[in-house]
Amino acid sequence: MGAKGRVKSLDNEMSDEEEKEETKSNKTSKSKSQAKEHKSQLERLKDKDPEFYEFLKEHDEELLQFNDEDIDEDVTTDVEDAATDVEDADLQGVDEIGGHRVAEKKEKPSKNVITTAMVDSWCNSVQEKENISAVRSLTKAFRTACHYGDDGGDDSSTKFSIMSSSVFNKIMLFVLSEMDAILRKLLKLPSSGGKKETIMDLMNTKHWKNYNHLVKSYLGNALHVLNQMTDTEMISFTLRRLKYSSIFLAAFPSLLRKYIKVALHFWATGGGALPVVSFLFLRDLCIRLGSDCLDECFRGIYKAYVLNCQFINAVKLQHLQFLGNCVIELFGVDVPTAYQHAFVFIRQLAMILRDALNTKTKEAFRKVYEWKFINCLELWTGAICAYSSEADFSPLAYPLTQIISGVARLVPTARYFPLRLRCVKMLNRIASATGTFIPVSMLLLDMLEMKELNRHPTGGVGKAVDLRTILKVSKPTLKTRAFQEACVFSVAVELAEHLAQWSYSVAFFELSFIPLVRLRSFCKSTKVERFRKEMRQLINQIEASSEYTNERRMSISFLPNDPAAMSFLEDEKKSEASPLSQYVLTLRQRAQQRNDMLTESSVLVGEHSSVFGKKISESDEEDDAWNEEGASVFNSSWLPGGDSKTKKPKEIKQKKKKRKMEEHNTVAVHEDVVEELVLSSDEEESASDTLSAGEDDNEKLVPPRHQSKKQKPPTNISKTKVKSRAKKSKKRKRAN
C-alpha cells in the first residue's frame, strides 16, 4: 500500500506541473497580444499627437524604443520568477515524501549591486541628457543609501542592493547637490526661491502629478538619513542643501512637522556650526511657508530655549545668549503672530509670580528664583527691546516691567543681590528702548542701606564673584571683600545708567534730588573708604549734569506739559554730551575689563557662533565652496546604521554631558532654594546658618545629623593612621 501511495503522490505532482506550464503559456500569449497592442498604440500616437511624440522622444527615448521580442522575454522571465518565488515560499518548510525529509530551499531574489560606474553613468545622463529614467534610478539608489543598515534594508521590493562607503558618498553628494535643480526643471519652477503659493498652484498641474513622488522620496529619505547621522559637519552640509528645497515641504505637512522637530533638536543640542545652520533652515521655512509652520516653530524654539536655560555657568553663558538671539530673530519674521505667543508665555510667568506672592511658600519662591524663570525674563526683555518700535509688540513692555519689579522685591535679602541686579539691568534696557521712565533708583538705593555693604568685611578677601552666573550667594560670601566690591560697583554702574538716560530731561534736577540725598547719607554711614570714594565720584557727576541741565532750562519759555519739552536737549542727547553720560562710558569700560578678568573668552562654548554666522553668510554667494566642503565631508567610511568608529566617542561624550548635567542639577537646585525669608538687617546668625550657607553653593542639602555621620569616618581613619605610624616609629627606635 505504501508503494501505491507514493506512485499516486508522484502522479499528482506531475499533473500540477502540467497545469503550471499551461498557465505559463496562457500568460505569455496574453502578454504577447498586449505588447502588440501597445506597439500599435505608439505608432498611432505619432500620427495623432506629433508634439507629444516629440516630447517623449526628447525626454524618454527608451519608452519609444519598443520591441515585441524583448517584452516577450521579460514577461516570460517575470512569470518564471513569480512562479519560482511561489515555489520557494511553499518549499521553505519541510517537505515529506514517504516519511523522508527533503532539504529546504531558500533562495533570495537577486539584486543589482550598485557600483561607481553605474552612479557615474546615471549622473552623466542626468546632467547631459536630462534623462528621467536615470533620475528615477538615482532616487532609488538614494533611498537604498539612506536606509542602509535598517531592519528592512534587505527588502525584496528594493531594486538595488547594499553598496560600499565610496558609492554611498558619491550618491549622497550628487543627490544633495543637484536634486533641487533637477526637480525644479522637471516641475517648471524658477531655479531658486519661491513661496507657498507657487507650490499650491503647482499641485493642480500635470507636472506635479507625474513627479511629486520623486520630491516626496527625496525629502523623506533625506530626513531618514539625518536621524542616522552622527557627524556635525555631515549634518550641517545636508541641512544646508535641503534648505534650498524647503519650499516643497508645503505640499507634505507631515514631513514639514518632522523636519521642524529635527531642526529644533539640532539647533538646541548641536555643536560647531550646526546650531547656526539649523536656525537658518528654520528661519527659511518660516519666511517661505508662512502660517503653515510659524506657530509650531515659535512654540518649539521657545520650549527648546527653556530646556537649555535651566542652568548657567561661565562656560554656557555666551552660548545661551546666542540661543536667545536666535529666538528673538525668529520672532521678527512675523511680529503679529509672535505677539500672540509672547502674550501667552509672559502671562504664564505672571501667574507663577502671583502664586508666589499669594502663598509665600518655599516651593512657590523656588519656581520664581530659578534660572529658567530669570532667563525667560531676559529673553522677553531682549524681544521687547528689539521690536519696541512695532505697534504690535510694544504693549508687552508694561506687563513685563511689572513682573520684573515684582521679582526684584519678592525676597529683599542681601543673598539675592545678584538676582536684583539682573532685574535692574533688564528694567534699564526696557526704559532705554521704549523711552519710558521706570523707577529703578529705589531698588538700588535700598541695597546700599543694608548692613552687609556698610560694614568692614569680616570674611577676608574671598574669591572673585561673577554676578552674571549666580542668583544667590552663601552667607560666608556675604562677608567677603570681593562680594561687597562687586555689589557696590554694580550699583554705581546701574544707577549711573538709569540717571544718564534722563540727564537730558527738563525735570532731571527734581528726578535726581532723592538719589543724591540717599547717596550722601551712604557716604556718611559707610565704614569702607573705597565705597565712599566711589559714591562721591558718582555724586559729583550727577551734580554736574543737573547744573548742565539747569543752565539750559533757564532759557526756555514753554511749560512742562508742552509737547516742545520732548525736544529739549535732543541734539545733546544724540551726542551724549552730558557729564553723566561721559562718566557712564568709563564705567562700562571698567565693567568690561572686570568681566574679561573673571572669565576667559576662549573657553566659552558659544564664542564661535558669530564666526560661523559670518562664514555662512559669505558661503551663500559661493556654492562652489560648499561643493568642495561636501566632497570633504562625504569622504569617510561612515554608513548609516553601521557600527562606525565615530559612534563610540559620541557615546562617551554623551555620558560625560549627563554627568555634568547631574552635577549642575545638584548645584543649581540648592543655590536657588529660598531657605530664609528674614531680612538681612537682622543680626541673628548662628554656626548652623554658616554650615547651611556653605552647602548651598557647593554641596548637597543633607541634614546635620547625616553630615556628622558622613564626616566622622574620615577622621577615624586618619587617627588610626597616626597611631599606626607612631607604633612603627617606636619599634624602629627600640630596634636601634
Side-chain angles (χ1 to χ4, degrees), residues 269-288:
T269 62
L274 185 54
V276 184
V277 177
S278 304
F279 171 72
L280 292 177
F281 181 83
L282 288 170
R283 186 174 177 273
D284 193 70
L285 279 180
C286 293
I287 292 173
R288 298 191 185 282

Side-chain angles (χ1 to χ4, degrees), residues 215-228:
V215 180
K216 188 174 183 180
S217 175
Y218 169 59
L219 295 175
N221 293 323
L223 176 66
H224 181 80
V225 79
L226 269 177
N227 292 320
Q228 303 295 323

Side-chain angles (χ1 to χ4, degrees), residues 73-138:
E73 291 176 359
D74 292 339
V75 169
T76 53
T77 53
D78 290 341
V79 172
E80 289 174 359
D81 291 339
T84 53
D85 290 340
V86 173
E87 289 177 0
D88 292 340
D90 294 337
L91 293 174
Q92 279 180 1
V94 179
D95 296 337
E96 292 186 0
I97 299 178
H100 298 284
R101 292 181 175 268
V102 182
E104 296 181 357
K105 295 182 180 180
K106 293 183 180 179
E107 294 180 359
K108 293 184 179 179
S110 60
K111 298 181 182 180
N112 295 326
V113 179
I114 301 175
T115 60
T116 55
M118 294 170 65
V119 177
D120 291 335
S121 64
W122 290 334
C123 296
N124 293 331
S125 59
V126 168
Q127 289 178 336
E128 296 174 359
K129 302 179 182 178
E130 298 181 358
N131 195 346
I132 294 178
S133 61
V135 174
R136 290 179 180 138
S137 300
L138 271 175

